[in-house]
Amino acid sequence: MTGVFDGAGLVALAQRVTKPAHLVAHERDGALGLSERPVPGAVGTVPALYPEWLGDQSFTEAHDVRFPYIAGEMAHGIAGVDLVEAMARAEMLAFLGTAGLGLERLDRELERLRTRLAGRRNWGVNLIHHPDDAAMEDAVATRLLRAEVPKISLSAFLDITPAVVRCAASGLRTDATGRIIRRTALFAKVSRPETAELFMSPPPAGLVRRLVDSGEITEEEGRLVSRIPVADDITVEADSGGHTDGRPLVSILPAVLSLARRKSPGVRVGAAGGLGDPAAVSAAFSLGAAYVLTGSVNQMSLEAAVSDEAKAMLAQAGVADVAMAPAADMFELGAKVQVLRRGTMFAGRAARLHQLYLEHPSLESLPAATRDSLEREVLGAGLDEVWQRTEQYWAQRRPSELTRARTDPRHKMALVFRWYLGNSVTWAVDGTPGRRNDYQLWCGPAAGAFNTWTAGSFLAEPGGRAVTQIARNLLQGAAVLTRVHQLRALGARLPSDAFDFRPRPLV
């Protein structure tokens, strides 16, 4: 009898994805097993499958990468230069997280990336929408274009803005065949089909005309950008850490894929949100994702620019150890972000601040007992002192906020409360002593799934969590699960261990 029908040998053959697996029938009961070599009477063959082959291979060709995988932008430079460089050198892609950096630091980080990754095209930077500060959005876009950043990830946009069109149009040209060539590849992160459709379409004609007339793009760039989608890659973000619409991937990704097939077949659609173990990554590819983008899991990597204490807290998270909290940038609108709940009191304290904002017209109207407990238990400083610090910040960043606060007491209260929300991120990044209970760590259930999957393996140890090893193991595990599901669909009786890919150092 030729073939393996049970035990560790069958598991090993099923998980050996880089070689074909030949299905053979047991001569006594007809049960299907596996053979590593073709044999007479084989009832089927499952071909080799490499992690590189998952998703859409046009993605790897277009972006000069080996793997269909992105380490996504994490604000305040948590996805920093070291992380982006490590991914680029491993033939993958990552985006620098620019939100909250400030222009001077952004200039420094861009120069570091250009120097370290000279000659490479497989790296990028985030441009986040500033709904209340178009000047900042334009300033960041100007710097990215001036630095000739090869790839830009657009996030939090609900509409097409001048900065987006400038990024899409800058440097457009045609080759000898008339094909439009982009100098800058654009990715658009979306969580709704209607937003996805905006980026799958050419930009609004009126906006293009306005930019041409103002000299911000050339006549030729305006003509060419009107013939192509704003972005060639649409990243569908499901339930995730940070800002999230909380939609399940199995619902939103197929909807956007269907839209892309009808609206703009050349656009690639990737998946993000909730991808913390091989099962989730395999599922995303099975749904039709051209590529995957991870976020929460990378905060625990060696290269993530966040304190060791914060990483240790994230490493203890389970899938249910998350909560929703008010977002600093859209506090007055009631927007929320998903954050770590275990080990920090931030979510509850932030919710209390928002409730006080809703219930009171001004700081002065707060009852004395409430004011006292707020200063002692949440802010860690007097309200007057916090307002002084807030004034100093906005005087440099956007003085119009202070002008509004002088005539709108509720807006002044919001700015004071946003001081806490904004600084809670900095405290986590820096590991500020005495502020552990106030750490704001953007985190979705994917972090808990990752911790469960890696328990007992080399990736459970802080020293083993290189961002490239996280990526390679997620992809290798996804390839294994894809293979074993193929074998099961063909009738092979596989032990449960075949579905359990254990992390291992990969080169």
Side-chain angles (χ1 to χ4, degrees):
M1 184 190 311
T2 302
V4 180
F5 295 89
D6 56 29
L10 184 58
V11 172
L13 287 178
Q15 293 194 353
R16 194 190 57 176
V17 296
T18 59
K19 300 291 183 182
H22 306 279
L23 285 88
V24 295
H26 196 286
E27 61 187 19
R28 186 175 63 250
D29 60 10
L32 294 183
L34 300 178
S35 170
E36 62 182 346
R37 294 183 301 274
V39 296
V43 299
T45 298
V46 173
L49 174 63
Y50 286 79
E52 293 91 326
W53 298 350
L54 296 169
D56 188 337
Q57 291 187 42
S58 72
F59 175 87
T60 56
E61 295 166 0
H63 298 298
D64 303 306
V65 293
R66 178 181 169 190
F67 300 99
Y69 184 102
I70 301 172
E73 60 268 25
M74 289 180 284
H76 288 261
I78 294 174
V81 172
D82 291 343
L83 189 150
V84 173
E85 180 185 10
M87 290 292 287
R89 295 191 181 281
E91 301 178 272
M92 289 181 275
L93 177 60
F95 288 105
L96 177 75
T98 63
L101 286 189
L103 296 177
E104 290 185 4
R105 182 178 170 189
L106 174 59
D107 286 335
R108 294 195 300 270
E109 303 295 71
L110 288 175
E111 184 58 31
R112 291 173 66 200
L113 280 171
R114 293 181 66 198
T115 300
R116 292 191 191 185
L117 297 175
R120 291 182 178 269
R121 301 283 300 169
N122 62 322
W123 60 276
V125 180
N126 173 227
L127 173 64
I128 192 167
H129 180 40
H130 291 264
D132 58 350
D133 194 351
M136 172 61 85
E137 185 175 304
D138 286 334
V140 173
T142 295
R143 283 161 168 77
L144 302 191
L145 293 173
R146 186 172 62 209
E148 297 187 357
V149 170
K151 306 184 194 304
I152 296 175
S153 176
L154 308 167
S155 60
F157 286 87
L158 297 178
D159 205 349
I160 306 301
T161 69
V164 168
V165 179
R166 288 173 56 213
C167 291
S170 181
L172 288 179
R173 61 181 178 84
T174 56
D175 63 13
T177 68
R179 184 169 63 98
I180 298 175
I181 306 298
R182 293 185 188 266
R183 185 181 72 184
T184 307
L186 260 60
F187 291 70
K189 187 179 285 186
V190 304
S191 56
R192 303 180 182 188
E194 59 269 26
T195 309
E197 186 170 8
L198 293 174
F199 288 97
M200 293 176 185
S201 308
L207 183 51
V208 173
R209 186 72 257 165
R210 196 174 86 204
L211 292 171
V212 170
D213 291 344
S214 67
E216 295 175 82
I217 62 176
T218 68
E219 190 78 43
E220 177 67 0
E221 289 170 340
R223 184 180 69 82
L224 294 177
V225 80
S226 299
R227 294 168 48 194
I228 58 176
V230 172
D232 282 337
D233 295 272
I234 306 294
T235 304
V236 177
E237 186 173 35
D239 187 27
S240 65
H243 293 92
T244 177
D245 278 348
R247 288 178 172 81
L249 190 67
V250 294
S251 298
I252 185 63
L253 180 59
V256 177
L257 283 165
S258 176
L259 177 65
R261 286 191 288 268
R262 299 192 313 271
K263 181 75 179 180
S264 188
V267 167
R268 291 174 292 269
V269 178
L275 305 181
D277 61 18
V281 175
S282 176
F285 284 124
S286 296
L287 285 169
Y291 58 93
V292 294
L293 180 149
T294 57
S296 293
V297 299
N298 300 319
Q299 281 191 97
M300 295 180 273
S301 70
L302 289 170
E303 295 84 357
V306 66
S307 66
D308 289 341
E309 189 172 25
K311 291 177 186 179
M313 292 167 65
L314 288 163
Q316 298 300 313
V319 293
D321 290 330
V322 295
M324 300 303 295
D329 54 348
M330 291 184 278
F331 180 82
E332 289 163 280
L333 297 176
K336 294 186 176 183
V337 291
Q338 190 163 213
V339 298
L340 180 68
R341 177 175 55 84
R342 181 174 182 173
T344 169
M345 300 178 71
F346 167 78
R349 289 174 172 176
R352 180 184 177 192
L353 291 177
H354 194 258
Q355 191 62 35
L356 289 173
Y357 167 77
L358 294 176
E359 293 175 350
H360 298 275
S362 67
L363 291 172
E364 290 73 22
S365 68
L366 294 174
T370 299
R371 184 185 181 104
D372 180 65
S373 69
L374 199 58
E375 292 174 337
R376 286 186 296 102
E377 299 170 10
V378 180
L379 301 177
L383 282 166
D384 292 338
E385 179 185 348
V386 171
W387 173 242
Q388 290 177 0
R389 297 178 187 177
T390 302
E391 279 189 305
Q392 292 171 2
Y393 173 81
W394 288 111
Q396 296 179 357
R397 174 70 183 272
R398 194 161 68 245
S400 60
E401 295 289 347
L402 298 178
T403 302
R404 179 183 167 191
R406 293 187 187 102
T407 58
D408 184 351
R410 176 168 265 125
H411 184 60
K412 177 181 177 179
M413 178 167 53
L415 293 181
V416 167
F417 291 169
R418 286 172 62 183
W419 173 89
Y420 172 80
L421 301 179
N423 277 283
S424 63
V425 178
T426 303
W427 296 329
V429 169
D430 296 342
T432 302
R435 282 293 190 173
R436 186 180 188 278
N437 284 335
D438 298 297
Y439 285 3
Q440 179 180 179
L441 293 166
W442 301 302
C443 175
F450 179 79
N451 289 329
T452 299
W453 169 53
T454 60
S457 75
F458 87 105
L459 280 180
E461 301 301 322
R465 287 182 164 177
V467 68
T468 55
Q469 284 297 321
I470 292 172
R472 290 291 304 274
N473 272 273
L474 285 171
L475 286 170
Q476 185 71 25
V480 166
L481 284 176
T482 300
R483 158 67 75 84
V484 297
H485 283 298
Q486 290 172 340
L487 292 170
R488 185 177 68 168
L490 292 173
R493 298 179 183 177
L494 300 175
S496 59
D497 287 353
F499 296 84
D500 182 22
F501 174 81
R502 301 304 300 152
R504 63 206 63 176
L506 295 170
V507 294

